[in-house]
């Protein structure tokens, strides 16, 4: 079977940037990684990871390109077939390329189809939009439930009033 994916760049641009890809279900996530990097014009030399995701795009288990863990326990792209990561009930992955730039993509399984003997796979089916020169800026914010912790640690100090903090008297 062939898995058809839409890979969408996470950005705040006016124009959407995405690629539609076809790949065999028993190819690995490393094959999908290579297809994504080529279709967006990256050289493919940077670290990357897929993350399993739920329907709300919450980031789950990491499947990385290389094992950087101390105990060699990381799940690896070259050991994970595509059909082990996604299927009809689990259709979404998050893909991050180049952890310094944080190119982030939403990868969604759009369709499972019969293989066409006249097509070479993986196959870039459709291109929409141009990738920007630099990765879109990411804003990381704590979820609202964590804001309650701020009250717990509130001790009345005015950190802008350095003279009133009495460092010399209270230094441990």
């Amino acid at each position: 079977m062939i898995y058809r994916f839409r890979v969408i760049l996470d950005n705040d641009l006016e124009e959407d940037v995405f690629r539609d890809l076809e790949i065999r279900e028993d190819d690995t996530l490393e094959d999908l990684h290579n297809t994504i990097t080529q279709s967006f014009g990256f050289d493919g030399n940077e670290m990357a990871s897929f993350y399993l995701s739920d329907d709300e795009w919450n980031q789950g288990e990491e499947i990385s390109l290389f094992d950087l863990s101390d105990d060699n326990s990381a799940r690896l792209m070259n050991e994970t077939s595509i059909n082990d990561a996604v299927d009809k009930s689990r259709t979404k992955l998050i893909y991050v390329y180049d952890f310094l730039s944080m190119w982030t993509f939403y990868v969604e399984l759009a369709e499972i189809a019969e293989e066409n003997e006249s097509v070479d796979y993986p196959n870039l089916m459709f291109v929409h939009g141009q990738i920007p020169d630099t990765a879109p800026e990411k804003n990381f914010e704590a979820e609202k439930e964590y804001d309650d912790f701020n009250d717990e640690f509130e001790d009345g100090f005015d950190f802008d009033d350095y003279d009133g903090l009495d460092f010399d008297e209270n230094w441990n």
Side-chain angles (χ1 to χ4, degrees), residues 107-131:
V107 180
E108 185 166 14
L109 176 63
E111 184 179 13
I112 300 173
E114 293 290 328
E115 186 170 340
N116 183 340
E117 296 298 326
S118 65
V119 175
D120 288 330
Y121 297 102
N123 177 36
L124 176 59
M125 297 171 44
F126 186 75
V127 173
H128 180 81
Q130 293 289 45
I131 193 139

Side-chain angles (χ1 to χ4, degrees), residues 55-155:
D55 287 339
E56 284 79 41
W57 295 105
N58 294 310
Q59 182 175 311
E61 179 186 3
E62 179 180 16
I63 304 170
S64 60
L65 189 57
F66 302 108
D67 189 352
L68 301 176
S69 67
D70 293 335
D71 59 359
N72 295 326
S73 64
R75 192 167 169 191
L76 298 177
M77 288 183 200
N78 67 346
E79 298 171 352
T80 306
S81 65
I82 293 171
N83 60 6
D84 283 340
V86 295
D87 56 38
K88 288 181 182 179
S89 64
R90 301 171 298 150
T91 61
K92 297 179 180 182
L93 298 168
I94 298 171
Y95 173 71
V96 178
Y97 176 77
D98 185 354
F99 286 97
L100 294 178
S101 298
M102 293 296 291
W103 290 98
T104 305
F105 299 86
Y106 297 112
V107 180
E108 185 166 14
L109 176 63
E111 184 179 13
I112 300 173
E114 293 290 328
E115 186 170 340
N116 183 340
E117 296 298 326
S118 65
V119 175
D120 288 330
Y121 297 102
N123 177 36
L124 176 59
M125 297 171 44
F126 186 75
V127 173
H128 180 81
Q130 293 289 45
I131 193 139
D133 292 335
T134 59
E137 189 113 0
K138 299 283 178 251
N139 293 325
F140 296 100
E141 297 178 15
E143 295 179 20
K144 180 67 177 144
E145 63 189 63
Y146 297 114
D147 289 343
D148 296 338
F149 289 116
N150 290 338
D151 295 338
E152 184 177 326
F153 298 107
E154 185 65 42
D155 49 16

Side-chain angles (χ1 to χ4, degrees), residues 4-83:
R4 292 184 177 139
F5 289 98
R6 175 157 286 176
V7 182
I8 304 168
L9 174 64
D10 178 16
N11 69 60
D12 293 330
L13 302 174
E14 288 184 20
E15 180 183 22
D16 289 331
V17 178
F18 65 88
R19 307 291 184 261
D20 290 343
L21 313 169
E22 292 179 313
I23 191 165
R24 289 184 178 94
E25 68 176 328
D26 55 355
D27 283 345
T28 66
L29 285 178
E30 184 175 23
D31 296 324
L32 182 58
H33 151 77
N34 290 332
T35 304
I36 292 171
T37 57
Q38 291 169 9
S39 69
F40 282 96
F42 296 122
D43 60 18
N45 294 330
E46 301 297 333
M47 185 61 186
S49 286
F50 284 98
Y51 297 89
L52 302 180
S53 178
D54 61 16
D55 287 339
E56 284 79 41
W57 295 105
N58 294 310
Q59 182 175 311
E61 179 186 3
E62 179 180 16
I63 304 170
S64 60
L65 189 57
F66 302 108
D67 189 352
L68 301 176
S69 67
D70 293 335
D71 59 359
N72 295 326
S73 64
R75 192 167 169 191
L76 298 177
M77 288 183 200
N78 67 346
E79 298 171 352
T80 306
S81 65
I82 293 171
N83 60 6

